[in-house]
Amino acid sequence: MKEILREIGIIARALDSISNIEFKEYDLTKGQYLYLVRICENPGIIQEKLAEMIKVDRTTAARAIQKLEIKGFVEKKDDTLNKKIKNLYPTDKGERVYPFLKRENDYSNRVALEGLSAQEVETIFNLLQRIRKNVERDWEIVKKGNERSY
């Protein structure tokens, strides 16, 4: 069997390493940029939904969000309907950094897809979505404390 997940992992780690180096000047490290981008793209998102979107546990998300809050990139605001819920918003500082994060992402996409036809890009995108959905099923099982049978 082809080691597709190994290749995906190598790509993901390389891009993550690049981003951690390039975003260091903004004081964004250890994947914090992922959270900031999602908050900028989804202002008012709640922590639980953000964790689900990024596919991390709530504790990991809470730590990253807390660091972003301390550094002044995001803020929590009470939900208008339910005071127990805190909505996440980018601060002015977070909004100013977002265009750079977006440009880097767009550039990385262009580099990664260089030399591929539009049809190949579409095929890869569709196949990766299917792979993601397959993996998400197991993620949901394990997240709920169950074990996968293999």
Side-chain angles (χ1 to χ4, degrees):
M1 177 184 284
K2 295 278 186 194
E3 292 289 343
I4 292 172
L5 294 181
R6 186 174 290 183
E7 291 297 318
I8 292 170
I10 291 167
I11 294 165
R13 284 187 299 280
L15 290 171
D16 193 49
S17 293
I18 291 168
S19 295
N20 281 331
I21 292 166
E22 290 187 337
F23 301 153
K24 201 172 205 165
E25 67 182 90
Y26 295 102
D27 200 23
L28 289 170
T29 56
K30 297 182 181 143
Q32 293 168 357
Y33 57 90
L34 293 172
Y35 297 86
L36 180 55
V37 166
R38 295 302 182 273
I39 293 167
C40 286
E41 293 173 347
N42 303 278
I45 191 168
I46 61 171
Q47 186 172 305
E48 185 176 351
K49 184 72 175 165
L50 181 60
E52 185 179 309
M53 188 181 283
I54 296 176
K55 302 294 182 242
V56 296
D57 61 73
R58 283 193 221 158
T59 305
T60 301
R63 278 194 303 266
I65 292 164
Q66 183 180 32
K67 288 176 184 175
L68 287 171
E69 199 174 12
I70 290 168
K71 293 176 181 182
F73 289 106
V74 301
E75 60 186 340
K76 293 178 183 175
K77 294 182 181 177
D78 289 335
D79 188 80
T80 54
L81 301 175
N82 184 343
K83 297 297 179 197
K84 292 180 183 177
I85 296 175
K86 300 287 185 195
N87 299 89
L88 302 168
Y89 293 92
T91 61
D92 288 340
K93 180 180 179 181
E95 289 283 358
R96 283 193 306 273
V97 172
Y98 174 74
F100 178 75
L101 303 178
K102 180 79 171 98
R103 265 195 325 274
E104 187 281 334
N105 180 70
D106 293 346
Y107 175 81
S108 291
N109 265 312
R110 281 194 309 276
V111 168
L113 302 173
E114 194 172 292
L116 300 176
S117 70
Q119 182 59 49
E120 288 172 322
V121 170
E122 188 66 27
T123 299
I124 290 170
F125 181 75
N126 291 331
L127 292 173
L128 285 172
Q129 280 188 317
R130 287 172 53 191
I131 291 168
R132 176 182 47 82
K133 288 175 184 172
N134 290 341
V135 172
E136 281 177 343
R137 284 195 304 267
D138 272 6
W139 182 75
E140 288 292 337
I141 290 168
V142 173
K143 185 176 94 166
K144 293 176 181 167
N146 299 311
E147 291 184 13
R148 302 183 301 162
S149 57
Y150 45 86

